[in-house]
Amino acid sequence: MAEPTTTHQPSAAPEREHSPAQAPAATAAPTQDHSAAHEPAQPPMQDQGPIQDQGEIAIDTESTYSEDDLSTYTASLTSSVLNFPTENGRRYHAFRQGTYVFPNDEAEQDRMDLHHEMCMRACNGKLHLAPLTDTKDKRFLDLGTGTGIWCVEMGDCYPEAEIIGNDFSPVQPTMVPKNVKFEVDDIESPWTHNQKFDYIHSRFLAGGIADWPKLVEQCYENLNPGGIVELQDADCLAYSEDGTTKGTWLEKWNIDFMNAAKTGGRTLQPGPQLESWVRAAGFEDVHHEKIRLPLGTWPKDKKMKEVGAFNLVQLKEGLEGFSLVLFTRVLGWSLDEVQILLSKVRKDLSDKNVHPQNDMHVVWGRKPLSA
């Protein structure tokens, strides 16, 4: 039987403020006001619908309730979620330990918020590209919410909708809009929500999902007829149109990084496959956009320069967290070997004669009204 979803305990999570990230010094870009950017840009899509039976729960006929028993059991469950393990100086999630190989500590949370700002700028200040209309009393779900910043901003934009974010780690803030809540859950286990959703969103789960087609099917099953799925994800393979990444330490790290993830049963290139998975699951009216993400301030275009600055900073800050588990556990490198490689990669990333970029893919589709 699937483990129950654990509702976020507010007192346990470290408090974080989610004002928009400040632009790196290289861009001197002012923080943008995105309040007007969330208006629907596409034709209306319709929504409605029901839920699936999770089967019978076996009953322990010898059990009786007492307040002490309940307190002890609840404390045990809470500690299993909050007892974060550490390895090589980084902190990782405790729930379903080892399933997700990237850290959840403050350094990684700061990187995630920088990454959010990069995505916002790449998407012209929009939190979503799928058209959302008639959002009153609708239910939105954010898969692998991370710091919860997307949910918080969506809660402000759509106060009439219910916004739920789930993640392995309860690291989200407690001071959030009243229509936002967070849960600890494993999205690759059978879902146990007692109501279906009208919009399901995920962003950059690359490297964290073992079975993407199954996950997309779960989205389909848990949407109301007419509901929308929107998946934003990466092709983490860095490339250069002028060949300047060839033979660099960045290229070597990137290839080793992707191979290690593949050996561990995860892909770092889900982006290009999203459309085929969404279509295969039964969605219709499918849209696919590919957005280039420069790494660095080398583009001439002002917008691309800003996107590149945020992308460069978040990658430099994330290199260690991305690499440690995969390179030491999967590839068998020593910690010193990893750190030496990463120092060389950072030099390549700082070289203005090297012009790397990677791609972000955004795919959305609608569940048929007849489903």
Side-chain angles (χ1 to χ4, degrees):
M1 184 183 73
E3 275 189 55
T5 300
T6 304
T7 302
H8 191 298
Q9 297 294 320
S11 60
E15 192 61 63
R16 292 174 62 80
E17 292 200 9
H18 278 320
S19 56
Q22 297 300 310
T27 68
T31 302
Q32 297 178 349
D33 177 5
H34 301 309
S35 59
H38 311 299
E39 295 300 319
Q42 305 291 335
M45 285 183 166
Q46 301 163 313
D47 344 44
Q48 320 153 25
I51 188 68
Q52 61 190 38
D53 183 7
Q54 297 300 323
E56 279 189 36
I57 299 175
I59 298 172
D60 180 356
T61 56
E62 312 230 336
S63 286
T64 56
Y65 285 133
S66 79
E67 289 304 315
D68 287 344
D69 288 340
L70 288 174
S71 295
T72 301
Y73 185 62
T74 304
S76 174
L77 287 176
T78 302
S79 80
S80 73
V81 170
L82 296 174
N83 188 22
F84 301 130
T86 59
E87 182 178 334
N88 292 321
R90 301 301 299 264
R91 191 188 75 185
Y92 296 85
H93 71 94
F95 180 67
R96 302 280 169 84
Q97 189 173 334
T99 306
Y100 182 73
V101 297
F102 305 128
N104 71 356
D105 50 26
E106 284 290 328
E108 174 62 4
Q109 292 174 53
D110 289 342
R111 184 204 67 79
M112 287 181 176
D113 286 348
L114 274 172
H115 187 269
H116 169 78
E117 185 65 15
M118 183 270 290
C119 291
M120 290 289 290
R121 290 172 187 253
C123 293
N124 296 324
K126 296 179 180 179
L127 287 162
H128 57 87
L129 298 188
L132 300 181
T133 60
D134 185 25
T135 57
K136 183 174 175 56
D137 298 326
K138 302 301 186 187
R139 284 167 50 84
F140 298 172
L141 176 65
D142 185 33
L143 304 174
T145 195
T147 66
I149 187 170
W150 184 89
C151 288
V152 170
E153 294 187 10
M154 284 290 285
D156 285 333
C157 288
Y158 299 104
E160 71 284 1
E162 179 184 6
I163 319 288
I164 298 171
N166 61 28
D167 201 275
F168 279 126
S169 296
V171 296
Q172 299 78 31
T174 55
M175 300 295 290
V176 299
K178 63 182 181 181
N179 59 326
V180 174
K181 72 175 182 179
F182 299 109
E183 299 173 340
V184 176
D185 202 5
D186 176 4
I187 58 175
E188 291 205 84
S189 293
W191 294 10
T192 57
H193 301 96
N194 58 9
Q195 285 181 269
K196 292 192 177 184
F197 297 92
D198 303 290
Y199 173 62
I200 296 177
H201 169 271
S202 76
R203 190 172 67 189
F204 281 76
L205 300 182
I209 302 299
D211 190 340
W212 272 97
K214 179 182 175 184
L215 178 63
V216 178
E217 288 168 8
Q218 294 238 72
C219 292
Y220 185 91
E221 291 300 321
N222 285 274
L223 277 168
N224 286 319
I228 302 168
V229 67
E230 179 171 358
L231 309 176
Q232 302 187 2
D233 230 292
D235 182 342
C236 291
L237 181 63
Y239 64 95
S240 55
E241 293 177 335
D242 59 3
T244 52
T245 55
K246 291 293 183 184
T248 61
W249 290 105
L250 170 61
E251 182 182 58
K252 173 178 172 43
W253 168 80
N254 205 183
I255 292 171
D256 286 343
F257 178 49
M258 298 182 76
N259 286 339
K262 188 175 181 180
T263 300
R266 304 290 191 271
T267 179
L268 287 162
Q269 295 182 283
Q273 302 177 78
L274 293 176
E275 181 179 350
S276 63
W277 292 330
V278 167
R279 290 187 183 279
F283 289 96
E284 61 184 21
D285 193 18
V286 176
H287 299 257
H288 181 184
E289 292 191 27
K290 184 171 82 169
I291 301 170
R292 292 195 303 167
L293 304 175
L295 276 160
T297 57
W298 53 264
K300 289 184 179 180
D301 179 80
K302 182 181 177 182
K303 174 192 163 183
M304 287 292 98
K305 192 180 287 289
E306 290 182 356
V307 171
F310 277 100
N311 201 16
L312 178 64
V313 173
Q314 71 85 23
L315 178 57
K316 279 186 168 182
E317 305 248 332
L319 269 177
E320 182 185 78
F322 296 153
S323 307
L324 285 177
V325 169
L326 289 175
F327 277 69
T328 58
R329 287 195 210 162
V330 179
L331 300 182
W333 290 36
S334 70
L335 180 59
D336 285 345
E337 287 173 327
V338 177
Q339 297 292 13
I340 289 169
L341 172 63
L342 297 186
S343 70
K344 294 176 178 178
V345 174
R346 291 187 186 98
K347 286 181 181 178
D348 282 343
L349 289 169
S350 299
D351 186 347
K352 287 194 174 182
N353 294 313
V354 179
H355 306 140
Q357 60 186 305
N358 63 337
D359 296 324
M360 171 183 181
H361 294 258
V362 182
V363 174
W364 69 92
R366 178 169 52 85
K367 184 173 180 176
L369 288 170
S370 58

